Amino acid sequence: MSTDPETILVTGGSGYIGSHMCVELLSAGRQVVVLDNLSNSSMASVEAVQRITQKALTFVQGDIRDSDCLAAIFAEHNIDAVMHFAGLKAVGESTEVPVKYYDNNMNGTLRLVEAMHQAGCKTLVFSSSATVYGLPEQMPITESAPTGAINPYGRTKLMVEEVLQDLFAADPTWRISLLRYFNPVGAHASGEIGEDPNDIPNNLMPFISQVAVGRREKLNVFGDDYPTPDGTGIRDYIHVVDLVRGHMKALEFLRDKPKLTVHNLGTGQGYSVLDAVRAFEQASGVSIPFEITDRRPGDAAVSYADPSKARDELGWEAEYDLHRMCEDAWRWQSKYPQGFQE
Ligand code: NAD
Ligand code: UDP
């Protein structure tokens, strides 16, 4: 009998990263059940995923904090593994309404693992973040670097990691992969799904693409006095398709035996804000007006991964470069200037 996980529950599967994950899973012949409350996404992405893959998935509109809803999903479907993307992710908002973040991200995960335990499904891939490294001192960042989040969002990620570590310590029959993402950007090559932030984008790449498409006048560059070659902040941007392929490898890696693993998913290459602006201009042929403004509080000067653990253990490496990330982001943004509202 094959031990391949066949049916995957994707929480947050209509969101930015989750929708790309669903494309990858369906394309690899998996059955997919999505659980999403549509608080930060719409059915349009689910429809686009099915259009791209020409395959159907099961969509359940519900909340990960709803134990009855989770129990019903596990009763109805033979779920082999869970990929857990559902969560709130805006750093700024998390400082304004921290309790909402703790409730959603912490309680949501607790209800999920309880339901998994009750159903006897003990394979979980969790969306963690490089934010758990706080303001890192040494570059590149390895998985053994000290952790210490500096805002409520980051603390929910770190606390969920700790909960899952405790869970594994108490019951080592679990298979848990903690994936610490660096900066996911880009879109599926079809241009049919991509990042579609509500309101004003907090993150650099979606902001740049909205300037390029004419939805915003100019980019604010948050500081040019960092100790970096051009003075602007450096990050490790990773193509969302590379990122979800890392999840496929992580799931595979959990197959041989129960374990809890931690991996960085990044390219290992840092680019400055101005590098990103230039790359986007080249890929799109559109000029991006910008203005230098004050630093954004809480921003690290530099953050990039040491991705060698994922390479050595998972056999995964990012393939797409910054130019390709910008090309794909631009294809999506220029095809759908208003995102999924179109
Ligand atoms: P997203 O907001 O596009 O997707 C999250 C999805 O979860 C949304 O569709 C939302 O409707 C859903 N959701 C939120 N709370 C829910 C709940 N209680 N019940 C059911 N569904 C719920 O975000 P994303 O960028 O795709 O991020 C996915 C995951 O990756 C998140 O956990 C995020 O914290 C993590 N992450 C993202 C980044 C990034 O830069 N995008 C970086 C590191 C980690
Ligand atoms: N940034 C910027 N203007 C923006 C958004 C971001 O200059 O409108 C900078 C930010 O200071 C950081 C980099 O771009 O140096 C990446 O920011 P993002 O929010 O995308 O990722 P994070 O800081 O969470 O890693």
Side-chain angles (χ1 to χ4, degrees):
M1 201 184 79
S2 159
T3 54
D4 284 6
E6 287 298 342
T7 303
I8 314 294
L9 172 62
V10 183
T11 74
S14 47
Y16 170 46
I17 303 170
S19 59
H20 289 81
M21 189 73 248
C22 291
V23 168
E24 204 64 25
L25 288 165
L26 290 168
S27 305
R30 305 279 187 253
Q31 304 287 325
V32 173
V33 179
V34 168
L35 171 61
D36 201 302
N37 64 2
L38 301 181
S39 59
N40 196 38
S41 55
S42 74
M43 281 307 290
S45 69
V46 177
E47 284 151 18
V49 164
Q50 299 183 108
R51 212 165 50 236
I52 292 167
T53 56
Q54 293 290 301
K55 294 195 175 156
L57 57 74
T58 302
F59 180 81
V60 178
Q61 182 171 355
D63 198 295
I64 51 166
R65 290 164 295 181
D66 179 347
S67 299
D68 293 341
C69 174
L70 287 165
I73 290 175
F74 283 102
E76 193 173 328
H77 305 275
N78 196 3
I79 306 286
D80 295 288
V82 177
M83 289 184 157
H84 178 29
F85 296 92
L88 299 176
K89 63 165 184 177
V91 172
E93 190 190 39
S94 81
T95 63
E96 287 153 24
V97 283
V99 175
K100 181 177 166 189
Y101 272 66
Y102 287 113
D103 179 41
N104 201 83
N105 296 2
M106 298 300 306
N107 284 334
T109 306
L110 294 174
R111 298 295 87 78
L112 176 66
V113 293
E114 279 166 5
M116 291 178 69
H117 175 77
Q118 274 158 17
C121 170
K122 294 188 176 179
T123 302
L124 175 66
V125 179
F126 173 62
S127 300
S128 190
S129 165
T131 190
V132 302
Y133 296 117
L135 292 173
E137 278 167 17
Q138 281 200 338
M139 290 300 141
I141 305 174
T142 65
E143 288 81 353
S144 56
T147 52
I150 56 165
N151 53 60
Y153 165 69
R155 272 187 283 279
T156 66
K157 290 292 170 194
L158 196 49
M159 286 162 72
V160 166
E161 284 201 6
E162 286 166 349
V163 166
L164 296 176
Q165 272 154 358
D166 287 343
L167 174 63
F168 181 76
D171 177 359
T173 65
W174 279 79
R175 297 160 196 257
I176 299 175
S177 170
L178 309 178
L179 298 178
R180 294 175 176 166
Y181 309 165
F182 279 68
N183 291 60
V185 298
H188 188 262
S190 62
E192 292 297 312
I193 51 174
E195 192 167 8
D196 182 25
N198 287 335
D199 306 324
I200 303 172
N202 297 304
N203 297 112
L204 178 67
M205 279 294 185
F207 203 106
I208 293 179
S209 7
Q210 291 195 5
V211 173
V213 83
R215 281 173 66 181
R216 320 237 160 240
E217 191 195 333
K218 61 174 179 351
L219 170 74
N220 290 321
V221 174
F222 298 148
D224 68 349
D225 56 352
Y226 284 106
T228 62
D230 67 19
T232 66
I234 288 182
R235 294 291 182 278
D236 184 340
Y237 299 98
I238 172 171
H239 197 296
V240 63
V241 171
D242 275 330
L243 185 82
V244 299
R245 288 182 181 157
H247 290 61
M248 298 297 280
K249 295 285 192 180
L251 197 55
E252 222 174 279
F253 188 61
L254 293 178
R255 251 181 231 156
D256 64 337
K257 59 173 195 291
K259 59 185 108 157
L260 179 143
T261 60
V262 184
H263 292 101
N264 285 340
L265 294 183
T267 65
Q269 177 79 51
Y271 288 101
S272 74
V273 176
L274 297 182
D275 289 334
V277 168
R278 277 189 293 269
F280 204 97
E281 286 182 331
Q282 260 190 1
S284 65
V286 177
S287 113
I288 311 291
F290 66 85
E291 187 182 334
I292 309 291
T293 62
D294 287 347
R295 291 182 180 191
R296 181 171 64 180
D299 269 358
V302 182
S303 165
Y304 59 92
D306 177 342
S308 57
K309 188 165 182 256
R311 183 195 62 212
D312 297 345
E313 293 185 351
L314 307 182
W316 169 89
E317 272 185 291
E319 286 174 20
Y320 296 130
D321 63 11
L322 185 63
H323 184 78
R324 175 66 188 266
M325 299 176 210
C326 295
E327 262 182 359
D328 287 341
W330 177 238
R331 189 173 302 109
W332 151 249
Q333 188 73 75
S334 51
K335 224 171 170 179
Y336 297 101
Q338 303 300 325
F340 287 113
Q341 278 173 34
E342 305 245 334

